[in-house]
Amino acid sequence: MKKALLSLIMLAIMLLSLISCTQTPELPYLTDETATNETKEKASYTYNPDIEDSANNTMNIVSTIMDDVPSSYNGELYFNSWDMLYKLNKETGKMNEMCKDPVCKHDTKECPFFGQQWQTGFHIYDNKIIYLRGREKHALRGEPNRILLYDIENGSFRSIYDYSIDATVFSMDYSFHGGEMYFHERVYDEDTKEFDKYALTCLDLSTFDKEVFYTEDYRKISVVGGDDNNIYYIDLLNKKLCVAKNRDFNNTSVLVDDHAGYFALYKDRVFYVSSETGTLSSKKLDGSDKKDLGISDIYYMYITDKYVYYWQRIEYDIVAPPVSPGKEEQRDTIPLANEIYRCTHDGKNVEVVYKAYDGEPLEMGDVVYVPNMLYVFEGYLYTTFTEISLKDDGTIDRDASTNSRGPFSYMRVNCNTGEVYIIEMPEI
């Protein structure tokens, strides 16, 4: 009898275990707009773009270098993390180091990417990765004084330009547009006999020839686009979008003169948030055909072949229940707009791409992924993120995924379905 009873108890335990293993956990932040949002543990990696949508970085504001923005080339995606560059295997979701030496520890200057200026990112042009390396005397980590070129095909690297350790350097404020690199470099001043003068410089990435522009207000210039005829730049002091006609900074005009905070250039148009109306607007690069697209409260935008992707200025008070009776509930405010939208270039067909938090109180085990930036490639959005969850003591935890803590992870969002996958960066 005891054996039979024991057998029945064991069978019941096995059945309960089987049921618990086959149950699908409730996803805490599903929304009506987002078809599926999956957590780290549940997500599976599949790469089958539902829509072919990517950025044209020739004249896009995001081509201004940022530390956590990936770069695409020839159908591949490349990422920057701490002291290494990686290429994403789109079939497996794994990151592969670009350094091809299997025994390299990535801690000496013989490694192509040791000492690269991760704060200033990188750029890929014609199968070559262009990036910065710091001063030798500071273990390659000081102020950048080298522009390096890495050949993706054969793994070789060399210096395009070396600047004197104690003299000529270029600043970290640089950007790429088409086949050109714009940056500020320190030049020799004949009057003071010191390297204390700066100039805006353009580097041709095909020939590596330099074109130097001497202007009185060069340090307030941030180039956002260039072509054979003009250079487009932001007047940083006055927040105006200006044009250097015939690439001559002594012959400039204002293209957008309403202190707009956000600009993006795409083909023959500029998109911006008007300070007059507070809405997304656009006009041709010759100043004609101004259009009010009617979308307000934009925090950041990114232009692709099909859409304008943007955040709106929406912040939520995240609420956690009291730890125990008599205690107050925990509240925290998401510091960034957490909803990403897109619309067609005419401001129509607005839809939600991703929504991190729907306003419901957090419960133990809930995870909220707040994106930090936007990069769209082949119908997927890539971004670093801040992870917000509820700790055991009932307080709200923010685990920021930033370069300063490195290595960090990326979130990939299917722009058509809202499906989320976390791409983990490997430890070095």
Side-chain angles (χ1 to χ4, degrees), residues 54-72 120 122-123 174-177 223-225 263-265 300-304 373-376 382:
S54 298
N56 179 346
N57 280 349
T58 301
M59 296 179 71
N60 197 316
I61 190 66
V62 81
S63 56
T64 299
I65 293 300
M66 298 171 63
D67 55 358
D68 56 357
V69 174
S71 185
S72 58
T120 54
F122 66 103
H123 181 73
Y174 73 113
S175 59
F176 293 92
H177 306 282
V223 175
V224 296
F263 299 97
L265 278 65
Y300 181 83
M301 62 180 164
Y302 183 67
I303 313 296
T304 67
M373 54 89 175
L374 291 171
Y375 186 86
V376 177
Y382 295 86

Side-chain angles (χ1 to χ4, degrees), residues 163-180:
Y163 291 92
S164 168
I165 289 177
D166 297 311
T168 307
V169 297
F170 54 91
S171 80
M172 292 183 180
D173 179 22
Y174 73 113
S175 59
F176 293 92
H177 306 282
E180 296 179 327

Side-chain angles (χ1 to χ4, degrees), residues 241 255-256 263-272 281-285:
L241 184 65
L255 179 56
V256 179
F263 299 97
L265 278 65
Y266 182 83
K267 294 185 177 179
D268 65 340
R269 301 192 72 86
V270 55
F271 294 80
Y272 61 97
S281 303
S282 77
K283 64 169 63 173
K284 288 187 176 181
L285 294 180

